[in-house]
Amino acid sequence: MVKKIALEEHFLSPGLVDYWRPTMTEVAPQRGEYFFRNLTDFGELRLQSMDGAGIARSVLSIAGPGVQAERDAATATRRARESNDFLAREIEKRPDRYSGFAHLAMQDAKSAADELERCIRDLKFCGAMINGHTHGQYLDDAALYPFWERADALGAPIYIHPTDPVAQPSVLSGYKVLMRPMWGWGFETGSHALRLIVSGHFDRFPRSRLMLGHLGETLPFLLWRFDSRARFHGLKLKKPPSEYIRENVTVTTSGMCSAEPLNCTIAALGRERVMFGADHPFESAQEAGEFLDHAPLVDNLRADIAFNNAARYLGLAS
């Protein structure tokens, strides 16, 4: 069993439960209490799950949507800060096993930037996770440039996590099973990342460090086509889209326990841009761990994906 750092390890803080329950009631009502019990545990349940998967350290992040569902910006800002303080206290109890991603109220770009800086500098978090758009405002919006300026200055990785689209696409109408984890969330999140690319975000903020789960939300499989169609449409960027993906984006294996897409992603992005993720408790950490332990990879590559890449990229110790 190879030693691992796990990303997309989710938790809930007391003040954010009410934002989470409506989504979970719709997505998996029969498993809501199981998820709640695991999301709010920082002791035996979580540590047993980690040990069974060979996870030495978990980078904890809020189970969405969090404060991004809040309409009032001041309330969202306050509750995000409270959640980050809660997580910092839990990390203090087990600094050998836990690290954290900041939770941010993107309703106010300056407040989000200030909270990101506080979390990086004072709480020693290693980046932030943002749950997609905030009431229809995507991360390429010019109003959020002050946030990205601060994130760049801090060298902070920003992980985009799936959320529901503003409106469900008509093509999914009548097929609820397709709307969220099976297909809709990946399409939404991959499209969000592409908005950043084609908007010129990485020309404005070349140091931006973007993270995506689920082996890149299908983007690594379409690099040639992105470049081909960018040329066709005369897209004015300093580089082809594929270069921004290779240079500014890293991905995790969360929710993807299959050798074929893993091998494709490694070939497309490079071995240093793929990291282990478990998506606990919505996926089985043990299944994710066993998959990586036995995937057809040479041992030094397995160790890089399991541990070394995240340790380097996020500045984490053993």
Side-chain angles (χ1 to χ4, degrees):
M1 182 183 295
V2 65
K3 182 171 70 170
K4 305 173 185 74
I5 292 173
L7 290 85
E8 274 209 53
E9 288 277 289
H10 299 295
F11 79 99
L12 275 175
S13 59
L16 303 189
V17 173
D18 289 343
Y19 297 118
W20 172 81
R21 282 198 184 278
T23 298
M24 190 47 53
T25 298
E26 291 185 35
V27 174
Q30 71 282 8
R31 302 198 69 194
E33 288 309 311
Y34 166 81
F35 290 142
F36 179 78
R37 188 167 62 252
N38 281 271
L39 287 166
T40 55
D41 177 82
F42 296 86
E44 183 177 354
L45 281 177
R46 189 178 294 273
L47 291 170
Q48 281 185 353
S49 172
M50 291 169 60
D51 291 343
I55 297 170
R57 179 177 295 274
S58 288
V59 182
L60 302 176
S61 51
I62 280 289
V67 300
Q68 288 178 254
E70 174 60 52
R71 289 287 177 179
D72 182 72
T75 300
T77 297
R78 173 175 55 81
R79 290 189 172 181
R81 184 182 181 98
E82 291 170 353
S83 176
N84 292 325
D85 287 341
F86 171 84
L87 177 57
R89 290 192 295 271
E90 293 298 333
I91 292 173
E92 282 181 359
K93 298 173 187 176
R94 293 304 306 262
D96 58 323
R97 303 301 301 271
Y98 298 142
S99 296
F101 277 141
H103 185 51
L104 304 174
M106 301 307 296
Q107 293 88 334
D108 183 327
K110 183 181 183 302
S111 294
D114 290 344
E115 181 63 5
L116 176 65
E117 183 167 353
R118 185 182 79 93
C119 288
I120 297 290
R121 293 191 172 169
D122 299 343
L123 305 185
K124 308 305 179 185
F125 289 1
C126 51
M129 179 177 282
I130 297 175
N131 294 300
H133 67 84
T134 303
H135 303 299
Q137 183 186 57
Y138 287 87
L139 292 171
D140 61 299
D141 195 299
L144 297 178
Y145 288 177
F147 167 78
W148 285 110
E149 289 168 359
R150 194 80 60 86
D152 268 22
L154 293 166
I158 306 298
Y159 199 128
I160 302 182
H161 188 268
T163 194
D164 288 339
V166 177
Q168 290 291 352
S170 297
V171 70
L172 304 184
S173 178
Y175 294 92
K176 187 175 181 179
V177 68
L178 293 175
M179 289 183 176
R180 281 173 162 153
M182 184 184 285
W183 182 248
W185 280 348
F187 169 77
E188 166 75 12
T189 310
S191 298
H192 194 164
L194 286 172
R195 287 178 67 104
L196 288 167
I197 293 166
V198 303
S199 72
H201 172 84
F202 294 108
D203 290 340
R204 281 186 293 273
F205 304 105
R207 296 179 59 224
S208 283
R209 305 171 73 196
L210 195 68
M211 303 186 73
L212 298 172
H214 316 107
L215 287 176
E217 311 291 3
T218 75
L219 299 193
F221 317 134
L222 294 167
L223 298 186
W224 181 91
R225 186 163 180 80
F226 294 151
D227 292 350
S228 169
R229 296 305 86 188
R231 290 192 300 271
F232 179 85
H233 289 287
L235 185 62
K236 302 299 183 183
L237 297 173
K238 292 181 179 179
K239 303 175 185 177
S242 65
E243 290 193 31
Y244 298 107
I245 296 173
R246 290 191 177 101
E247 294 173 8
N248 295 91
V249 177
T250 58
V251 306
T252 73
T253 64
S254 62
M256 294 288 281
C257 299
S258 179
E260 294 85 359
L262 174 61
N263 289 330
C264 175
T265 304
I266 295 168
L269 302 188
R271 61 185 291 163
E272 73 281 357
R273 296 213 163 259
V274 183
M275 307 175 195
F276 177 71
D279 211 355
H280 172 86
F282 306 112
E283 300 283 358
S284 165
Q286 184 169 350
E287 181 179 6
E290 289 178 353
F291 161 69
L292 190 59
D293 286 337
H294 298 102
L297 303 168
V298 295
D299 284 345
N300 61 348
L301 174 56
R302 191 187 321 277
D304 284 348
I305 293 171
F307 189 95
N308 297 333
N309 289 344
R312 171 186 52 80
Y313 188 79
L314 299 176
L316 299 174
S318 61

